Amino acid sequence: MADAVSIFMSVGLSEQKAKETLKNEALSSTFKKAIEQVHRLLGSASIDKTAGTLLYNMVTRLKDYNRLSFLTKYIVTRKITSELQLSAALDFIKSHPQENMDRLEFEAACGVGVMVTPEQIEDVVELIIRKHKDQLLAERYRFNMGILMGEARTALKWADGKMVKNEVDMQVLHFLGPKTEADLEKKPKVYFYCLEFSNLSTSESVFEKLRENYKTEGYVVTSNTMNLLKKHLEETGGQVRSRFPPEPNGILHIGHAKAINFNFGFAKANNGICFLRYDDTNPEKEEEKYFTAIKEMVEWLGYKPFSVTHASDHFQLLYDLAVDLICRGHAYMCHQRGEELKGHNIPPSPWRERPVEESLLLFDRMRKGMFAEGEVTLRMKMVMEDGKMDPVAYRIKYTPHHRTGDTWCIYPTYDYTHCLCDSIENITHSLCTKEFQSRRSSYFWLCNALDLYCPVQWEYGRLNLTYTVVSKRKIIKLVETGIVRDWDDPRLFTLTALRRRGFPSQAINNFCARVGVTVAQTTMEPHLLESCVREVLNDTAPRAMAILEPLKVTITNLPTNKEVRVPDFPANEAKGSHVVPFSKTIFIEQSDFREVMEKGYKRLTPDQPVGLRHAGYVISQNGMCELEVTCASSDSVEKPKAFIHWVSDPLRCEVRLYERLFLHKNPEDPAEVPAGFLSDINPNSLTGIECALVDHSVGKAKVFDKFQFERVGYFSLDPDSTSEKLVFNRTVTLKEDPGKM
């Protein structure tokens, strides 16, 4: 094993990553083959870490191992030098069989030999800024700079992304000048809504748009549709009405944040209202804590429901409508068992043509509790878009309901309840994720079968993140096995977990806005969400100084203890400051001192002074037994190569550092993780530091208050904190780690 670890480390993997790789036998074997080819091509020479990282990424993503040798050669010979080129190469190989592949076409597709000069980057960025100059001048630094980056990256596909960003930043600064006080004012809150559905022309009112809901694809128009729509418009005044309808059987996650933003944002953009409706039709899985947490998270994201409703509010009306459905000949009582109704090839029910009177009698007996669970169901006579026949409308559950107690022993299903509650509440737009498209026909059919007003249903793609799981069942498994503490463990991507970790709600909303609304499912990398978090915290989290691995330093010539005023926001000192003590004994990070000078090291050594941030002093080592230093005013000595943070007379605190919970992008994918998601846990996902030090400015912080610990990262006060001991969670690092794989 030690030999294999050394081999993997020889191409740039860390020891930890090398050991993790060895746990995957197939991956290890393929990676060894790639490294063997490297040695055949280079002999005794070695490849750098960048090429080694590309090699590793190639092996983990390659599906056709017959191409291993081909791609390895391109990486080793520096023809493929970036992740962008590698992704293009893998995509090309995936769509081109080996026997039909044209090498020149391949090289063109992945940018082999393409050199983008700094002059080319400069020229392209200049043209793009010129194109947007009017909007840039009008919005200044509130302009979405991502537009400039996106156009530049499109025009300069194979350019170095860092060079492009630096050029954009430099030219924007040159064009607009430094930020003014107005530029530094707090950004207005971003409200998220779907442009396609909300932007109406000046000649087209919302009222007029709603009158044409019946033109939506798949909408069933009956002889009474226009009368029902007219009545609906009279009752609502042409108001847009949406709803967010979660099941209260789990905690909301990042995917729900998109749904919340879309439903509430769409209504707000059209001067409408949005309901929070609990789909509480399964008493076996519902708990009070989920009802409370869902409402709390909706409000935390900045949205206030027009009304909080429950499907159970309408249980009696839903039952009456079911009786009506039977009377109209559109539903029947069926004795097929649950296992017979699973899947799509369900055998036709022998009770489908049962007389209406008989079904009414049996439904009444079912309501009175005269059947066992699973013995009978009420089914609707219709075929869904996915081919599933006669979905269940009512089933028996002898479990007390959270709100109605033992009043009911039969409960409606989603397929029956959803559209009817929308109709009852005069919802105009049922916005739901793509997997519900197969239920659109049943949605329209049921409203029309009962001759009720029918809203429209629009579907959009779900939002997923890599390196996580959001399934309720799997999160429960993580909790039960002790891998995470609870639903709000900061390594999860539930909304309560993100709040506990310190993610601002505004950052989550901004992330949803950037992702946008598409029909296709969206899978994003966590670092994109973290980038939104940094943007918000950079403007809102006051600075403090904290030491995670303390090293005691004695300043031998400091005449008296002092106080130092530290700005809360160094880029805008007008936003306030705080005072910290400065005494002869201070603490610095262990990593900020080395006894032996190394090339490129800019902090404290016996031969190299270092500045103390905000203190106005430069310190130099003069003691040999312990770390003793002398200080001098920074005005009286040569400017040091670096300034470090420090604390004096600090508070002790606990700090929790979080990394990704899973090692692979898709822990639920058997191709990536054959042994299942529980085998993919990152052993270093949580590091606890019990004896960290922090300055007194955070002493009165409240739970969830956020700070930037200078040079360390963004942190949030955890609910585990007490008056005796503060506990901080690292929200994100100051910058994205480019080496994270």
Side-chain angles (χ1 to χ4, degrees):
M1 177 177 173
D3 290 343
V5 170
S6 299
I7 292 171
F8 292 168
M9 290 177 66
S10 71
V11 294
L13 261 65
S14 65
E15 183 177 358
Q16 178 192 339
K17 194 68 181 178
K19 288 178 179 178
E20 290 169 6
T21 302
L22 279 174
K23 296 176 184 177
N24 187 324
E25 190 175 333
L27 175 59
S28 298
S29 175
T30 308
F31 196 33
K32 284 178 185 176
K33 290 177 183 176
I35 295 172
E36 287 169 4
Q37 186 181 350
V38 170
H39 293 321
R40 286 197 298 271
L41 291 168
L42 297 181
S44 59
S46 60
I47 61 173
D48 59 29
K49 185 174 181 180
T50 301
T53 301
L54 284 174
L55 194 70
Y56 180 84
N57 288 344
M58 180 268 289
V59 170
T60 58
R61 294 158 60 187
L62 185 63
K63 303 298 182 185
D64 182 0
Y65 291 134
N66 292 324
R67 312 289 188 92
L68 180 68
S69 175
F70 176 78
L71 284 181
T72 300
K73 186 174 181 180
Y74 270 85
I75 292 172
V76 171
T77 57
R78 307 288 297 165
K79 291 183 177 180
I80 291 178
T81 58
S82 69
E83 181 65 31
L84 187 64
Q85 283 184 293
L86 177 61
S87 296
L90 289 168
D91 289 342
F92 188 91
I93 280 177
K94 186 177 180 181
S95 59
H96 291 75
Q98 189 169 1
E99 59 274 11
N100 297 329
M101 198 177 81
D102 183 294
R103 186 180 291 265
L104 291 176
E105 188 182 352
F106 166 79
E107 292 185 352
C110 52
V112 172
V114 177
M115 296 292 293
V116 182
T117 67
E119 291 76 18
Q120 288 175 298
I121 296 175
E122 182 181 350
D123 291 343
V124 168
V125 172
E126 187 177 340
L127 287 172
I128 292 169
I129 288 180
R130 196 180 302 162
K131 172 184 172 185
H132 295 282
K133 67 176 184 178
D134 292 340
Q135 195 174 356
L136 271 166
L137 288 170
E139 299 179 17
R140 290 184 58 78
Y141 287 98
R142 296 190 191 283
F143 179 80
N144 182 3
M145 301 302 171
I147 294 173
L148 307 182
M149 276 298 298
E151 292 186 15
R153 296 294 285 143
T154 300
L156 301 162
K157 184 175 181 181
W158 306 114
D160 180 88
K162 190 174 182 181
M163 289 179 64
V164 173
K165 186 178 187 311
N166 288 342
E167 185 63 32
V168 169
D169 291 345
M170 186 179 72
Q171 290 203 33
V172 167
L173 179 62
H174 179 73
F175 183 68
L176 296 178
K179 288 186 178 181
T180 64
E181 286 188 15
D183 294 325
L184 292 168
E185 286 178 7
K186 189 174 181 181
K187 299 173 184 175
K189 184 168 183 178
V190 175
Y191 292 106
F192 171 54
Y193 58 96
C194 176
L195 294 174
E196 179 185 353
F197 297 149
S198 65
N199 279 356
L200 305 177
S201 66
T202 53
S203 62
E204 184 178 35
S205 70
V206 174
F207 187 89
E208 290 167 341
K209 188 76 173 177
L210 294 179
R211 288 181 60 184
E212 297 185 356
N213 267 358
Y214 68 91
K215 294 182 179 179
T216 297
E217 181 183 354
Y219 195 96
V220 179
V221 179
T222 69
S223 58
N224 200 27
T225 293
M226 301 314 293
N227 290 331
L228 293 169
L229 183 56
K230 181 181 178 182
K231 182 182 176 184
H232 158 77
L233 291 170
E234 288 171 353
E235 291 177 358
T236 64
Q239 183 182 50
V240 167
R241 292 183 164 210
S242 60
R243 79 290 170 273
F244 173 59
E247 298 175 70
N249 60 5
I251 298 296
L252 302 182
H253 55 72
I254 188 66
H256 290 113
K258 177 177 178 179
I260 292 168
N261 271 276
F262 190 17
N263 279 284
F264 282 90
F266 175 68
K268 185 176 182 64
N270 290 292
N271 298 315
I273 59 176
C274 184
F275 292 75
L276 169 60
R277 184 205 305 142
Y278 294 107
D279 183 16
D280 57 340
T281 58
N282 188 352
E284 293 174 342
K285 297 181 179 180
E286 294 156 5
E287 295 182 43
E288 170 61 28
K289 66 177 182 181
Y290 298 137
F291 286 86
T292 303
I294 287 170
K295 184 172 184 288
E296 187 179 345
M297 287 300 98
V298 168
E299 292 176 345
W300 177 63
L301 288 176
Y303 295 105
K304 183 172 177 58
F306 171 77
S307 179
V308 178
T309 63
H310 304 74
S312 55
D313 295 340
H314 310 299
F315 273 177
Q316 183 59 55
L317 179 54
L318 291 171
Y319 176 80
D320 295 341
L321 289 171
V323 171
D324 188 15
L325 196 67
I326 297 171
C327 292
R328 291 170 180 261
H330 296 312
Y332 63 95
M333 296 296 289
C334 177
H335 301 280
Q336 284 179 296
R337 294 286 179 170
E339 55 270 17
E340 296 179 73
L341 299 179
K342 290 180 179 177
H344 292 278
N345 298 314
I346 302 171
S349 171
W351 294 279
R352 197 172 197 268
E353 301 306 325
R354 171 172 258 159
V356 167
E357 294 75 13
E358 193 175 317
S359 282
L360 286 171
L361 178 63
L362 291 172
F363 191 46
D364 181 61
R365 293 178 63 193
M366 179 185 180
R367 162 77 177 84
K368 292 175 179 176
M370 300 175 68
F371 294 102
E373 284 193 22
E375 189 176 351
V376 65
T377 59
L378 178 68
R379 293 175 66 184
M380 298 177 281
K381 290 184 180 180
M382 60 90 59
V383 180
M384 300 176 73
E385 287 184 25
D386 60 1
K388 191 172 182 178
M389 190 170 181
D390 294 359
V392 172
Y394 269 87
R395 74 281 205 215
I396 300 170
K397 288 185 181 292
Y398 290 111
T399 302
H401 189 273
H402 174 75
R403 298 182 71 242
T404 61
D406 294 322
T407 303
W408 298 89
C409 64
I410 62 172
Y411 293 95
T413 62
Y414 174 89
D415 289 321
Y416 177 79
T417 308
H418 183 59
C419 61
L420 296 182
C421 284
D422 281 351
S423 180
I424 292 165
E425 294 176 357
N426 266 316
I427 299 301
T428 57
H429 298 81
S430 172
L431 309 174
C432 51
T433 48
K434 187 71 174 175
E435 63 265 32
F436 293 100
Q437 184 170 1
S438 62
R439 290 170 155 125
R440 186 198 288 184
S441 58
S442 67
Y443 185 103
F444 294 153
W445 175 87
L446 183 53
C447 288
N448 284 297
L450 289 167
D451 204 21
L452 299 173
Y453 156 71
C454 185
V456 294
Q457 176 173 307
W458 287 336
E459 303 88 14
Y460 58 93
R462 290 182 58 169
L463 168 61
N464 294 325
L465 282 184
T466 55
Y467 294 102
T468 191
V469 297
V470 294
S471 155
K472 296 166 189 172
R473 178 177 58 83
K474 290 177 179 174
I475 291 177
I476 289 171
K477 202 69 164 174
L478 291 169
V479 174
E480 289 175 346
T481 53
I483 293 170
V484 299
R485 294 171 62 183
D486 208 337
W487 290 80
D488 66 346
D489 188 295
R491 291 167 290 180
L492 297 173
F493 280 84
T494 60
L495 293 184
T496 51
L498 294 177
R499 180 179 64 169
R500 183 170 186 172
R501 184 160 172 171
F503 282 35
S505 56
Q506 182 186 344
I508 294 173
N509 291 344
N510 290 351
F511 174 66
C512 291
R514 290 184 185 181
V515 170
V517 179
T518 62
V519 176
Q521 178 173 287
T522 306
T523 301
M524 308 297 290
E525 298 275 353
H527 71 80
L528 298 171
L529 172 57
E530 291 170 0
S531 176
C532 292
V533 171
R534 288 188 188 93
E535 285 182 11
V536 173
L537 291 181
N538 185 53
D539 292 338
T540 59
R543 277 44 168 180
M545 291 190 286
I547 303 295
L548 305 192
E549 296 180 321
L551 176 64
K552 182 180 176 182
V553 178
T554 302
I555 305 175
T556 58
N557 67 333
L558 187 69
T560 58
N561 293 346
K562 300 186 175 187
E563 287 188 339
V564 172
R565 184 162 293 279
V566 178
D568 292 335
F569 297 89
N572 184 11
E573 296 189 13
K575 292 176 73 173
S577 62
H578 58 274
V579 172
V580 297
F582 181 58
S583 64
K584 289 187 175 184
T585 300
I586 65 171
F587 296 87
I588 65 172
E589 293 284 0
Q590 293 178 21
S591 59
D592 282 338
F593 172 72
R594 290 187 186 172
E595 292 186 278
V596 179
M597 181 67 177
E598 296 179 12
K599 185 178 179 180
Y601 188 72
K602 296 181 180 181
R603 287 157 283 169
L604 185 61
T605 71
D607 302 314
Q608 180 170 271
V610 72
L612 297 179
R613 289 179 66 82
H614 311 298
Y617 285 100
V618 175
I619 58 174
S620 308
Q621 186 184 9
N622 67 346
M624 300 302 294
C625 298
E626 62 179 60
L627 187 50
E628 294 183 345
V629 300
T630 56
C631 68
S633 169
S634 48
D635 296 333
S636 63
V637 295
E638 185 179 342
K639 183 178 179 180
K641 292 182 179 179
F643 284 80
I644 61 174
H645 63 292
W646 51 275
V647 293
S648 179
D649 187 25
L651 300 171
R652 290 192 175 274
C653 66
E654 179 186 344
V655 169
R656 297 169 183 171
L657 307 178
Y658 297 99
E659 298 290 346
R660 290 170 180 163
L661 181 59
F662 296 99
L663 298 170
H664 289 81
K665 273 189 175 184
N666 303 296
E668 299 171 278
D669 185 352
E672 281 192 44
V673 188
F677 74 103
L678 291 178
S679 70
D680 196 45
I681 303 301
N682 177 6
N684 300 312
S685 62
L686 170 59
T687 302
I689 300 174
E690 294 287 338
C691 298
L693 305 174
V694 65
D695 72 47
H696 278 268
S697 68
V698 304
K700 295 182 179 180
K702 300 185 292 295
V703 171
F704 302 136
D705 278 357
K706 299 161 184 62
F707 301 91
Q708 183 194 113
F709 291 169
E710 296 198 32
R711 299 178 64 230
V712 179
Y714 293 102
F715 290 78
S716 177
L717 192 67
D718 188 82
D720 287 346
S721 297
T722 65
S723 56
E724 289 77 33
K725 187 177 185 181
L726 301 178
V727 180
F728 288 96
N729 296 320
R730 183 173 69 187
T731 306
V732 289
T733 55
L734 290 179
K735 294 182 180 180
E736 181 188 341
D737 181 3
K740 199 179 270 188
M741 290 192 292

